Amino acid sequence: MEIRLENLTKIFKDNKRENETRAVDNLDITIPSGKLVGLLGPSGCGKSTTLYMISGLLEPTSGKIFFGEEDVTEISPEKRGIGLVFQNYALYPHMTVFKNIAFPLENLKVQGRPNGVIEPTKDANGNYSIEATGTIIIEDKTHYLKANYPLSKDELLKLNEEVKDASNEQVSIRIEGKKFKVKKEFLASDFESQKDWLVQLITTSLFILPKLDKEGQPIKNKSSQIVTCKRKMTEEEIALFKNDLENGKVEVCIESMVASTTRKLSEEEIQQLETELQENKEKATKERIILYTKRKLKKQEIHDLVIETAKLVQIEKLLDRKPSQLSGGQQQRVAIARALVKKPRVLLLDEPLSNLDARLRLQTREEIRRLQKETGVTTIFVTHDQEEAMSISDEIVVMKEGIEQQRDRPQEVYNNPSNLFVAKFLGTPPINVFLGRIENRALYIGKNKLFMAPKDVEDQDVYVGIRPEGFTIGETGGVLRAEVEQIETLGRDISIICKKDECTQPTFKAIINADSHVKIGKIVLGVKKNKVLVFNRDTEERVF
Ligand code: ATP
């Protein structure tokens, strides 16, 4: 399942101080299907905010999120088909591992048997249309009322026209649960003139009123709490509603519009359809939309899924334990199993390794990579640890202050960073940065001429970045004069700490072969051209 973010923006407003934080700014990225993509950046750059918007836990200020072709921007988290794993495993302490993993399955509704079809008609030009019949569900967010409004003939005709015209942006046809869901604004956009109609609708049709607290006041804090009773409004409630509506206090939205011509099937037809679906699902669904019943999972099905997932994350021997009887790494595996058991379309991991010690981090990171490859689930992995992101990801997205800096394969981002920020963020030890200039096409650090810049590069002040592994010694062609201050032996390599006036840090580090003979004091270093990265001094963008 490909994930596409289109101009995704999140602005947090602080009402008291009238401040705003642009946590995510115009993010425009595509995460290829079946890949593991690392979202990488320093603390506060908007990684978690991006992840929470993808999960549906946070609403974007603007922009859109697509899973495949489906626009999920306004779909609730439960319906998006995501598995989420957080830094703190958030397991239920009183439940066994088995129960923790089984928990998301208990109320899961899965597709049951086919029980109806929608068959669009095809005109001579090959365009499909449906004879719409349907209802609009209207939600009044102020009073927490919902009303189902059956569409009139004229409205149906209008809707049918729009359904035909797929390019009309007001209409999105979602073929999920095998219904046509047509989001429309024709009533909401003309809200003023619809007031009378709205009062009539909400007060006379089927509606749902909120749960009342002990004082008899409606509990209004969460829309999920509203659906407790269906009854007609009292006179007082109607008066209050009318009054609020007149004073512009009522916030009404059209939640969805369902339009379909559904034909119920006989048992014989159902059986025939089941056979067709088994034989060739693509053919069976090509020119019709099949409606299914919903059902809960059977006990045995839950059991099998839990065992299958536990095996996948290798915790099948721990199923009877409680979370407190597990190590951190084992707890995180349980959390991952719990996220995977529902077979999500997308797996979202928010710093999942932060609470583990160094050894377990490495081990669990390899585990996540294996799981991701085995399940093929599109995965987004948030981390501020560049090494972690580099080692695990097919691609990484580097972010800074809510803005994407670069997206590519890890090695490519390391070798060819697009700007100084990315170059500095990737690599341990970090890249060494020097003040330099290009003069008559030659690249200089102070008085030391390194090499000629490519032909079309203009003279300018630059930052010269040299990766620690980009130095040579003892060969002819030394170009960079420096002062060795300290030598650290690392085994296969040695690390030499040097000083140079033009370095933007007090010292810089070169990593070279341990066989090299280096002494404290003056040295002339050579540089490997492909490890030297040059950035404009003002824009910090890459020059070459
Ligand atoms: P970390 O690695 O520290 O978790 P991050 O890259 O995940 O950081 P976010 O948590 O996405 O960063 O935060 C991005 C910015 O948005 C930060 O400046 C943060 O202070 C701000 N922010 C996040 N949540 C809120 C909120 N609910 N209200 C106001 N500002 C917020």
Side-chain angles (χ1 to χ4, degrees):
M1 174 72 50
E2 175 190 279
I3 304 172
R4 203 166 78 244
L5 311 180
E6 264 182 26
N7 306 103
L8 200 64
T9 300
K10 180 71 191 178
I11 301 170
F12 289 109
K13 288 216 166 84
D14 178 344
N15 291 337
K16 279 185 211 140
R17 284 186 277 158
E18 292 175 353
N19 274 342
E20 61 173 46
T21 309
R22 246 172 205 275
V24 174
D25 197 355
N26 238 337
L27 209 56
D28 227 351
I29 48 179
T30 301
I31 291 152
S33 180
K35 298 280 179 205
L36 194 160
V37 172
L39 272 189
L40 176 66
S43 181
C45 74
K47 306 178 295 287
S48 301
T49 306
T50 306
L51 202 75
Y52 295 154
M53 284 195 281
I54 297 172
S55 72
L57 295 174
L58 259 184
E59 201 182 324
T61 308
S62 60
K64 284 194 184 306
I65 302 161
F66 291 88
F67 286 2
E69 286 307 305
E70 187 184 359
D71 180 353
V72 298
T73 322
E74 287 176 21
I75 292 183
S76 66
E78 311 82 65
K79 291 192 181 150
R80 288 193 189 188
I82 43 150
L84 253 179
V85 179
F86 298 101
Q87 174 179 342
N88 58 348
Y89 330 112
L91 300 176
Y92 302 109
H94 59 286
M95 291 185 191
T96 60
V97 168
F98 184 99
K99 285 224 159 120
N100 263 287
I101 303 173
F103 190 75
L105 300 175
E106 298 210 321
N107 289 315
L108 187 70
K109 291 269 172 57
V110 293
Q111 187 177 299
R113 300 187 74 195
N115 71 340
V117 287
I118 299 172
E119 283 163 327
T121 49
K122 200 172 171 184
D123 66 18
N125 300 323
N127 295 324
Y128 287 101
S129 68
I130 53 164
E131 276 294 314
T133 65
T135 52
I136 311 171
I137 301 168
I138 293 181
E139 187 177 353
D140 158 20
K141 291 191 167 170
T142 318
H143 297 83
Y144 289 84
L145 304 169
K146 273 193 180 186
N148 291 331
Y149 169 63
L151 294 164
S152 70
K153 179 129 186 288
D154 285 348
E155 284 163 341
L156 286 172
L157 287 175
K158 190 168 174 207
L159 182 59
N160 205 22
E161 270 308 299
E162 301 214 22
V163 171
K164 260 191 212 167
D165 181 7
S167 64
N168 183 337
E169 287 198 357
Q170 281 195 346
V171 181
S172 76
I173 307 167
R174 221 158 56 83
I175 307 178
E176 191 221 13
K178 311 311 166 203
K179 277 177 194 163
F180 270 94
K181 263 204 164 180
V182 187
K183 285 205 148 237
K184 287 233 332 92
E185 274 149 28
F186 80 100
L187 288 161
S189 61
D190 195 15
F191 182 55
E192 273 303 302
S193 68
Q194 304 286 346
K195 275 186 182 171
D196 291 342
W197 171 83
L198 207 61
V199 173
Q200 199 200 346
L201 165 66
I202 291 197
T203 56
T204 57
S205 64
L206 231 194
F207 49 81
I208 299 159
L209 282 165
K211 193 173 183 174
L212 303 181
D213 64 16
K214 281 184 191 143
E215 272 85 49
Q217 294 302 312
I219 301 167
K220 289 186 181 180
N221 49 352
K222 274 203 185 130
S223 58
S224 60
Q225 291 182 338
I226 61 168
V227 191
T228 51
C229 52
K230 291 178 183 180
R231 62 171 170 84
K232 297 269 176 200
M233 286 164 94
T234 63
E235 285 304 315
E236 266 167 64
E237 284 166 337
I238 292 174
L240 180 68
F241 174 67
K242 278 186 180 165
N243 190 35
D244 283 351
L245 192 65
E246 269 318 306
N247 295 322
K249 283 192 194 161
V250 176
E251 192 196 336
V252 178
C253 73
I254 296 181
E255 200 184 57
S256 66
M257 187 178 282
V258 181
S260 60
T261 303
T262 315
R263 194 166 65 79
K264 287 272 169 212
L265 302 174
S266 66
E267 182 55 34
E268 216 168 88
E269 283 178 306
I270 290 174
Q271 279 177 15
Q272 193 187 338
L273 194 54
E274 279 180 328
T275 318
E276 272 182 50
L277 281 164
Q278 262 176 11
E279 282 169 1
N280 187 344
K281 191 167 180 198
E282 214 174 299
K283 186 161 167 261
T285 50
K286 195 162 175 227
E287 289 190 358
R288 63 183 167 202
I289 296 148
I290 300 170
L291 304 163
Y292 295 87
T293 55
K294 291 250 172 202
R295 67 168 179 90
K296 280 187 162 190
L297 285 171
K298 294 181 198 131
K299 230 177 164 179
Q300 187 62 41
E301 286 175 312
I302 293 182
H303 178 268
D304 293 349
L305 277 169
V306 171
I307 302 293
E308 178 192 319
T309 318
K311 278 189 182 151
L312 193 67
V313 299
Q314 295 167 356
I315 49 165
E316 68 270 35
K317 296 210 173 82
L318 308 173
L319 289 169
D320 294 331
R321 293 206 200 162
K322 296 265 174 71
S324 60
Q325 298 167 313
L326 302 176
S327 72
Q330 289 166 335
Q331 288 188 47
Q332 193 56 302
R333 281 166 193 234
V334 178
I336 294 170
R338 193 178 51 182
L340 285 175
V341 77
K342 272 168 84 174
K343 306 212 184 293
R345 303 197 278 180
V346 172
L347 183 63
L348 304 173
L349 307 165
D350 190 7
E351 307 247 7
L353 309 177
S354 317
N355 283 357
L356 307 179
D357 66 36
R359 196 178 53 83
L360 260 179
R361 260 181 108 116
L362 265 176
Q363 197 185 333
T364 315
R365 146 175 134 189
E366 280 160 20
E367 193 83 335
I368 290 176
R369 187 67 183 135
R370 175 184 67 80
L371 281 174
Q372 196 275 331
K373 280 237 153 82
E374 255 176 68
T375 55
V377 58
T378 310
T379 302
I380 304 180
F381 185 99
V382 161
T383 177
H384 59 265
D385 181 332
Q386 51 96 19
E387 199 189 318
E388 199 164 280
M390 298 261 291
S391 66
I392 203 173
S393 315
D394 293 308
E395 282 187 4
I396 53 177
V397 178
V398 185
M399 291 180 69
K400 177 191 171 195
E401 292 167 10
I403 300 174
E404 178 195 340
Q405 305 294 305
Q406 192 167 359
R407 176 170 76 94
D408 218 318
R409 285 175 295 114
Q411 200 58 45
E412 189 57 25
V413 180
Y414 181 80
N415 290 341
N416 280 312
S418 57
N419 59 37
L420 185 62
F421 174 83
V422 177
K424 281 161 96 172
F425 201 74
L426 265 70
T428 33
I431 194 164
N432 303 298
V433 182
F434 303 86
L435 297 177
R437 64 186 194 287
I438 299 169
E439 211 174 282
N440 298 327
R441 262 196 56 220
L443 176 65
Y444 287 91
I445 293 177
K447 288 185 181 152
N448 303 148
K449 179 173 164 184
L450 302 195
F451 51 80
M452 294 304 283
K455 266 190 189 129
D456 46 354
V457 172
E458 290 176 7
D459 288 357
Q460 60 192 292
D461 285 338
V462 293
Y463 285 113
V464 184
I466 308 177
R467 295 272 181 215
E469 68 275 21
F471 296 97
T472 57
I473 60 165
E475 295 166 22
T476 50
V479 284
L480 193 69
R481 291 179 182 281
E483 187 89 20
V484 179
E485 282 212 325
Q486 204 182 323
I487 301 165
E488 291 169 357
T489 311
L490 307 172
R492 198 180 45 150
D493 298 319
I494 52 173
S495 162
I496 56 175
I497 319 281
C498 308
K499 247 184 126 72
K500 181 151 184 81
D501 288 348
E502 289 79 10
C503 185
T504 58
Q505 298 290 317
T507 56
F508 71 92
K509 203 173 238 186
I511 294 180
I512 49 175
N513 195 296
D515 298 335
S516 318
H517 297 288
V518 186
K519 281 190 267 167
I520 302 286
K522 287 193 177 8
I523 192 168
V524 186
L525 295 158
V527 294
K528 297 177 192 163
K529 243 176 160 178
N530 66 342
K531 297 287 173 191
V532 178
L533 307 163
V534 178
F535 306 90
N536 179 278
R537 189 86 66 84
D538 298 325
T539 64
E540 300 190 359
E541 292 297 317
R542 180 91 178 273
V543 180
F544 65 90

